[in-house]
Amino acid sequence: DGGAIVGYLVGSVREEDGEAVIHWIGIHPSHQRRRIGSVLMSAFENAARGRVRRILTGTPFAKGFYEKLGYKCTHIEHRLVKELIGKSIAKSDVKFEVIDVDNLDPIISFLGEEAPKFLRAFFEAYEDDSDKLLSATFKGKPFGVITAKTNRWTRELIEVTYFHGVDLQATHALLKAFEAKCSSKGARWVGISTDDQELITLLAKDGWVDAKLPMFWTRYHMEKKDL
C-alpha cells in the first residue's frame, strides 16, 4: 500500500506430493478487515492450481477465516495450558523420582507397549532437562511417568512431552501433582498436548484452557481439495 508491505504469505508447492502448504500468513493490524488476506490466499491458490490436489495449513487462531474460503478442519492438535502464578496449587501425595539411564529398565517394564514413545521423549530432554524426567509412585506403588522440557522460547513455560498413568484418574492426578512441582520451581505456565477428550474435560475443571500463547497453541489442521 503506497510502497509499504502490509501483508505477506509464505507457502510452498510440493508437486511430487500433490500438495501445497501455507506456512504463514500475516496482515498488518492497520490493514486488517480489508480482504487483503483473501487476496493473498487467492493468489497462492492460483499459483498452485493445476499442480497439486490439495492445499494444507495449520492455524492457532484463524480457523474461521479459512472456513470462509472453503477450507475444512481435518484434525485438531489440542494443546492445553494452565497459568500457575497467583494460583492456589494443592499439594499432592504423589511422589516423584528422577529417571536416569541407570533405572530405565523398571520404567520400560511398567510402560510395556508405551515404552517407545516414552524413550523418544526421554532422550530428547535428557541432556538439557534431565530433572523433568520423572516416575511417580502413590502409596509406594508405581503410578505413572511424566517427561517435560522447558519451552525453547521462554523458561516460564514447561511443556509436558509425555505422560502416562495407570488409568484416567491416575493420569489426572499425575498432572495435578506435576502442576504443584512446576509451581514450586517458579514456572508461570505448564502445558500439554492431548487428544483425550475425557482428560481435557477433567483438566478444564482444574483451570486448564485452550492454549493461545505466542509460543504454544492449539493447532487446527485445514485442507482444501479440488482447486
Side-chain angles (χ1 to χ4, degrees):
D1 185 4
I5 295 175
V6 297
Y8 66 92
L9 184 152
V10 179
S12 58
V13 176
R14 304 169 181 170
E15 292 188 55
E16 66 277 12
D17 297 325
E19 62 187 32
V21 180
I22 299 166
H23 304 294
W24 203 266
I25 182 172
I27 311 299
H28 192 279
S30 66
H31 284 68
Q32 290 178 357
R33 302 188 182 281
R34 292 170 55 176
R35 297 189 56 79
I36 296 174
S38 298
V39 170
L40 285 168
M41 290 292 295
S42 178
F44 184 75
E45 290 177 6
N46 287 337
R49 186 168 286 112
R51 301 167 63 189
V52 299
R53 297 187 304 275
R54 60 180 181 170
I55 295 179
L56 306 174
T57 190
T59 175
F61 312 121
K63 179 171 177 284
F65 165 74
Y66 285 108
E67 287 177 334
K68 289 179 180 178
L69 297 177
Y71 288 74
K72 294 183 179 180
C73 183
T74 59
H75 174 64
I76 303 175
E77 188 178 331
H78 290 282
R79 286 184 171 178
L80 305 179
V81 68
K82 183 170 183 179
E83 186 163 9
L84 305 175
I85 299 296
K87 303 291 178 61
S88 176
I89 307 295
K91 292 184 178 180
S92 171
D93 292 328
V94 174
K95 305 297 182 184
F96 286 117
E97 179 182 351
V98 174
I99 304 170
D100 202 344
V101 290
D102 295 329
N103 61 355
L104 278 176
D105 287 347
I107 304 300
I108 292 172
S109 178
F110 167 73
L111 291 173
E113 294 181 356
E114 282 283 308
K117 296 179 184 178
F118 157 74
L119 288 171
R120 281 194 294 270
F122 176 87
F123 285 109
E124 284 175 2
Y126 183 72
E127 185 172 344
D128 297 322
D129 286 287
S130 59
D131 62 321
K132 300 179 184 66
L133 308 172
L134 306 166
S135 62
T137 58
F138 180 70
K139 296 182 178 181
K141 296 182 179 180
F143 192 68
V145 174
I146 193 165
T147 68
K149 64 181 181 180
T150 303
N151 179 267
R152 62 179 296 190
W153 303 112
T154 174
R155 300 192 66 81
E156 291 186 305
L157 169 63
I158 305 301
E159 293 181 46
V160 175
T161 55
Y162 175 83
F163 58 94
H164 178 78
V166 293
D167 54 32
L168 176 62
Q169 298 303 320
T171 300
H172 183 210
L174 179 70
L175 290 169
K176 286 175 69 71
F178 190 68
E179 288 176 37
K181 185 174 182 63
C182 291
S183 180
S184 69
K185 298 294 184 181
R188 181 173 180 180
W189 299 287
V190 60
I192 67 166
S193 300
T194 181
D195 287 330
D196 188 327
Q197 292 299 320
E198 290 184 286
L199 181 60
I200 290 172
T201 299
L202 288 174
L203 293 175
K205 295 177 181 178
D206 295 337
W208 291 72
V209 297
D210 199 38
K212 294 182 180 179
L213 299 175
M215 60 290 190
F216 191 76
W217 55 71
T218 288
R219 187 176 181 90
Y220 298 91
H221 294 263
M222 311 297 294
E223 177 181 297
K224 187 174 186 178
K225 293 182 178 180
D226 304 322
L227 300 178

